[in-house]
Amino acid sequence: MTIEITHTRREGTLIEGTSRGDGSAEILRLREYGRTQRQPFRWSRNLDCWYLPHSRDHATYTPSLELLAQRLREKGFEVTLTVDNADRRSFSEAEEEREEKAEGRADRFGGYAASAAQSSEAAWKKSHDISERFAFGQPILVGHHSEGRARRDHARMDDAMRKSIGESDRAAHWTGRAQAAANYQQFKKDPGRTLRRLDKLRADLRAVEKWQRGESAKGFSRNPADPELEIEHQELTEEIDHWEKVIKDAEAEGFKVWSRADFTRGDFVLYRGTWYEVLRVNPKSVTIPHIHNSIGKRIVRATGNQYDDWTWTAPYDGVSGRKSADEMQQPPQAPATEAQEPAEQSPAVEEPVPVGKPTAATGASWLDGMALVLIASKHSPRRRKRALWAMTRREAQAVCGDPRTSGRSYMLTWTEQPGTEGADWEWVPDNGSHAPVLNELGITPRREWTAAAPQAPAAEAA
């Protein structure tokens, strides 16, 4: 029987005429074929023949197929080799088929996930039903006539639970595969990715045109009379037209394609959620202060940064917005009424104020407020808190922060809102063990509680 090796861009590389056990599989499975010379052939039940993965829509590497044909002939097979790189399908046809296959994979993988989830639930229920016999902690009675059955039940419970866990993991795997397949079209048509893809395709097309003129491109030259150049030119032109239409559709839906015509030096660009001042406008990007300056800021200006000498280039496909210097200086507007559209404004403050940090005007008075120092012990009753002293918050922080005021079974802590004396806390005797610490810190504690000083919120004290 004759083995036919055929390759077209439309169908890829196919091997027909083999049969099970004829010895051809050992040769076809070698990882020495394809454009990379590292691929094996695979059997397809749908095609009912061998095929080379990822060979569709590409020109073949003819020496690899000639090597395969030679090896098969040495095994006694009659072999024919046919290569037609000009037979191809348009890019739109290929992309439409890829999208249809992605939808089919999403449905198929979703079915696998549902089946695995159902199997996991059934296995868990089986394990749970068996465990009902031991719901009250019945042990295995060694030597009793029920020992054998009990041990078998334990083994069945273990097997069922392991199966439930395994099927749950399998359901999660197929759910992720289904989600990835369902997102294929959205991922491929993302405007940002499409713009980057177009830049590469246009560069490839310029290289092909240079080779056709007999010029060097990408560091080497090709024969201008090579028919493959004309096919590559057609493929690149079709693919560029397809993705340009995707961008036009996105623009019709409101997507903005930014370019150097939209910016001047001194403008502000919204890049990765932060506004940066534009230092220079380039053909494919804008130069901005380094993104390390954006930590803790909403607006990064040209000067006054930690890394003033460092810059960053923001490509136009990553830009999300633009404002002039005058618009950036405008204060935030009041909330709009129902009849007005809310105007998006940037905050005037560039650096956030740390939360809970006392200011110069209020920090001193807050620290001078009163606090109650408590002793907490592992072995003490928890009905009421035990108080040792009353002192200022500043003094309480110093005392409780000293390592000598804590041990293996107790520690000192403080609060500014202890509650009601007698109901929430009570005074306990001071045995004088911490007197050296108090003397060293210069603190004279009190044994009476008054909260006359202004009290700050408890969240600030913490």
Side-chain angles (χ1 to χ4, degrees), residues 155-231:
R156 289 166 56 204
M157 285 167 50
D158 182 74
D159 293 342
M161 186 55 67
R162 290 180 183 277
K163 180 180 179 181
S164 175
I165 295 172
E167 290 297 306
S168 177
D169 293 341
R170 195 165 72 92
H173 166 77
W174 287 118
T175 299
R177 292 285 302 273
Q179 187 64 37
N183 292 340
Y184 172 83
Q185 186 172 0
Q186 180 180 356
F187 178 86
K188 289 284 285 188
K189 293 187 177 181
D190 176 74
R193 293 186 178 90
T194 303
L195 288 173
R196 292 189 289 274
R197 188 182 300 117
L198 279 171
D199 288 340
K200 180 182 181 302
L201 292 173
R202 288 164 181 156
D204 292 342
L205 181 60
R206 289 193 296 270
V208 170
E209 291 174 347
K210 285 185 177 181
W211 288 325
Q212 288 179 321
R213 294 194 298 266
E215 303 174 5
S216 176
K218 295 186 176 182
F220 61 95
S221 301
R222 294 175 62 178
N223 183 7
D226 186 356
E228 187 65 24
L229 288 176
E230 182 61 31
I231 298 175

Side-chain angles (χ1 to χ4, degrees), residues 262-280:
D262 297 309
F263 295 93
T264 59
R265 182 176 180 178
D267 289 344
F268 284 80
V269 59
L270 183 59
Y271 178 66
R272 296 183 180 179
T274 303
W275 289 98
Y276 296 89
E277 185 173 349
V278 176
L279 306 178
R280 186 168 58 252

Side-chain angles (χ1 to χ4, degrees), residues 27 61 162 181 238 315 437:
I27 300 175
Y61 182 63
R162 290 180 183 277
E238 290 178 0
V437 178

Side-chain angles (χ1 to χ4, degrees), residues 252-366:
E253 296 176 359
F255 177 76
K256 168 65 176 174
V257 179
W258 300 96
S259 66
R260 67 183 307 174
D262 297 309
F263 295 93
T264 59
R265 182 176 180 178
D267 289 344
F268 284 80
V269 59
L270 183 59
Y271 178 66
R272 296 183 180 179
T274 303
W275 289 98
Y276 296 89
E277 185 173 349
V278 176
L279 306 178
R280 186 168 58 252
V281 180
N282 310 310
K284 295 185 178 181
S285 63
V286 289
T287 302
I288 58 176
H290 201 280
I291 58 175
H292 286 176
N293 295 304
S294 66
I295 299 175
K297 295 183 179 181
R298 289 289 306 278
I299 305 171
V300 179
R301 303 187 184 275
T303 57
N305 300 309
Q306 185 177 0
Y307 306 96
D308 276 339
D309 297 334
W310 295 8
T311 60
W312 190 269
T313 54
Y316 293 124
D317 56 65
V319 170
S320 305
R322 177 257 178 201
K323 284 187 179 182
S324 65
D326 294 337
E327 291 174 326
M328 192 59 66
Q329 293 295 339
Q330 293 178 0
Q333 296 181 357
T337 61
E338 295 182 358
Q340 296 176 339
E341 289 289 336
E344 180 182 352
Q345 295 291 337
S346 299
V349 179
E350 295 186 18
E351 299 187 9
V353 178
V355 177
K357 181 178 179 181
T359 62
T362 62
S365 62
W366 181 81

